[in-house]
Amino acid sequence: MRGGKRDKPIAGTDEVPKAVVSRLSLYLRELQRWLRAGQDTISSTQLGKTLGLSDSQVRKDLAYFGQFGYPGRGYRCDELIQKIKRILGTDKLWPVAVVGLGNLGRALLGYRGFTHQGFQIVVGFDIDVRKIDQPIDGVPIHHLRELPEVARQRGIRLAILAVPASAAQEVADQIVAAGIEGLLNFAPVSLTLPASVNVVSVDLAVELEQLSFAVVKRASREAGQSQLDTRNEPSV
Amino acid sequence: MRGGKRDKPIAGTDEVPKAVVSRLSLYLRELQRWLRAGQDTISSTQLGKTLGLSDSQVRKDLAYFGQFGYPGRGYRCDELIQKIKRILGTDKLWPVAVVGLGNLGRALLGYRGFTHQGFQIVVGFDIDVRKIDQPIDGVPIHHLRELPEVARQRGIRLAILAVPASAAQEVADQIVAAGIEGLLNFAPVSLTLPASVNVVSVDLAVELEQLSFAVVKRASREAGQSQLDTRNEPSV
DNA sequence: TAGATTGTTAATCGATTAACAATC
DNA sequence: TAGATTGTTAATCGATTAACAATC
C-alpha cells in the first residue's frame, strides 16, 4: 500500500549496506549515460543488464531509500538521477583537498573529471617548501600546517591522501585533527583513525593483485592441473 | 588430520570468493609490514586486529588455500608472505602496460611503488603523436596501434586503462584484441568485454561518493532528523 | 605440562534472488 | 484492456562468526 503509515524505520536508522551504496553510484553513472543517449525512462531490468546485476537487486537497492519508480513504466532517468544525487550528497558541490603532491597527487589536481559529479579539488597541501605557493593547474598549494585554517575557511570536509606509505598514518592524524570528516586514502597502509572519520581506501597494488590472481587462476584451470594448490604434499 | 587423504576438491575447482582474495592482499601488506618491524610470527588475532577483521575470518580465508599456520604458535611471516605471493601470482614480476597518457596515466608511469609488489610498468601507449617516442620517466611510449606487437614481444598480460570515458570501450576492445588478459580500468564506464578477460574497475567519483554519503548520513543522524528520507510524503 | 592457537565444523547472520499482488 | 514493471515478502544462497578438538 502506497502512502499510509510508515512500515519502515526512518532512513538513518536502518543501516544501508556498503555494497548498496556502491551500486547506487553505478546506477547514477549509468542513468546519466542513458539520459545523454536520449532515453527518458529505464527499467530495473535494463539498468541491471548494463551493470551485470539482476532486476530484483536494482529494485531492492533503490527501495532502501524510497519509492522512485512507476509500475508498468520503469524509472524516469532525470528524476532518479536527482534522487540518487540527493542520497549520495552530491546535489551540492563538495570542495576537496589533496594532501601530498607526488605523481598521483599532482595528477588529481589536474583531473577535472569529477567536478560535474559533485566534487571539486580546490587546494593542495605538501610539506616540501619548493612546492608551496606554486599553483598546479590553477589550484593553490599550501604547507600542510595551514590545513586546519584553510579547511575551516573554505568549508572543506573531504580530503584525498596521496603521501608515501611511511608518512600516511602521521599525516592522516593531522588531517583528522583539522576536522576533516572523510578521507580517500591512496597510501598502501591500513590507517588507524577514530570511528568518527569515514575512510575509503584505494590501493593500486591490491587491485593489480586481484587481476594477477584471476589471470593465473584461469590459466591454471585451463591447463587442467592447478598451480594454486600450495598446500604441502600429504606427509603420509 | 594433516596429510592423509584430500578432504577438499583441488584448488581451481572450488570457487574462492572475491572478497577473500581482496583480504589476502591486505594480509600480505600487513605481513610485510610486520616482518619489517622485526616480528617472526603473527597470530590470526593480531593480523585481524590491525585490519579490523575477526580472527576466525583470517583463519578461514587462509584455509581456502591450505594449512599455513602452526597451532599454538601462529603463522611465520616470511613463510606466509611467500605462500600468499604464490597464490596471488606475484612471486614473479608482471610487466604492465599503461594505455592513455593523460594526467593519471603519466602519474602511473612515474610511480615505482608497486615494482616490489610484483608489477612493473614497462610501456605506455597513446594515440597523440606528440607523445609517441618521448619516454616518460624512462618508460618508452608507443602508438596504440603497436600494442599487439609490443605486448607479444614483452609478454605483457596486464594493462591499465586510463583514457577518457568517451574512448574507454573502444580502446578496451583493442586491448582485448591484443591478447591482454587482465585490465585495470580507471575510466568511469562499465565496460562490456568477453568473459575471458578479467576486469577490475576503480572509479574515483564512486569512491568519493561513498565518502560523501557516509558524511551526510552521519551528519543527519547526529542532527536527529534525517535529510536522507527522500521518499515522497504519504499521499493520504 | 599448561597455555596458546590453529583448522574446521556447525550456527548465525546478511545479502541476493524469485515470485507475485499492486499498479500504471 | 492487456502488457509491463514496480515494491515487497518469502525462499535461497553465501559469508561470517562461534566453538572446540587437535596440536605445538
Side-chain angles (χ1 to χ4, degrees), chain A residues 178-221:
Chain A
I180 296 296
E181 296 164 72
L183 187 57
L184 178 51
N185 172 38
F186 280 98
V189 185
S190 285
L191 299 174
T192 303
L193 295 176
S196 59
V197 182
N198 303 288
V199 179
V200 168
S201 287
V202 176
D203 184 330
L204 280 307
V206 169
E207 310 300 339
L208 284 170
E209 281 160 4
Q210 305 311 296
L211 277 184
S212 63
F213 174 80
V215 168
V216 297
K217 185 186 59 174
R218 184 189 300 271
S220 67
R221 190 190 304 159

Side-chain angles (χ1 to χ4, degrees), chain B residues 21-68:
Chain B
V21 184
S22 284
R23 288 195 296 265
L24 218 51
S25 288
L26 300 181
Y27 299 151
L28 175 59
R29 212 174 63 183
E30 213 49 52
L31 284 162
Q32 288 168 328
R33 199 228 285 258
W34 209 261
L35 186 64
R36 249 182 280 124
Q39 297 292 324
D40 279 355
T41 64
I42 189 171
S43 72
S44 55
T45 307
Q46 290 171 314
L47 188 47
K49 187 164 288 171
T50 62
L51 294 166
L53 305 170
S54 71
D55 58 323
S56 332
Q57 182 154 62
V58 173
R59 293 199 299 280
K60 193 103 206 286
D61 284 349
L62 294 174
Y64 271 99
F65 304 97
Q67 296 177 143
F68 304 135

Side-chain angles (χ1 to χ4, degrees), chain B residues 86-143:
Chain B
R86 180 109 188 277
I87 293 166
L88 293 174
T90 55
D91 51 339
K92 314 250 168 53
L93 192 62
W94 294 74
V96 177
V98 170
V99 181
L101 302 173
N103 281 315
L104 181 60
R106 287 197 306 273
L108 292 171
L109 289 190
Y111 185 50
R112 288 289 129 72
F114 29 63
T115 299
H116 81 284
Q117 286 297 336
F119 303 96
Q120 183 169 23
I121 293 173
V122 297
V123 60
F125 294 92
D126 205 296
I127 54 167
D128 183 343
V129 290
R130 289 167 302 180
K131 292 175 181 162
I132 313 301
D133 296 328
Q134 308 276 350
I136 299 177
D137 284 299
V139 177
I141 310 302
H142 294 274
H143 192 281

Side-chain angles (χ1 to χ4, degrees), chain B residues 163-186:
Chain B
V163 302
S166 55
Q169 180 65 55
E170 186 189 353
V171 175
D173 290 337
Q174 293 181 64
I175 290 174
V176 171
I180 296 296
E181 297 164 70
L183 188 56
L184 178 51
N185 171 38
F186 280 99

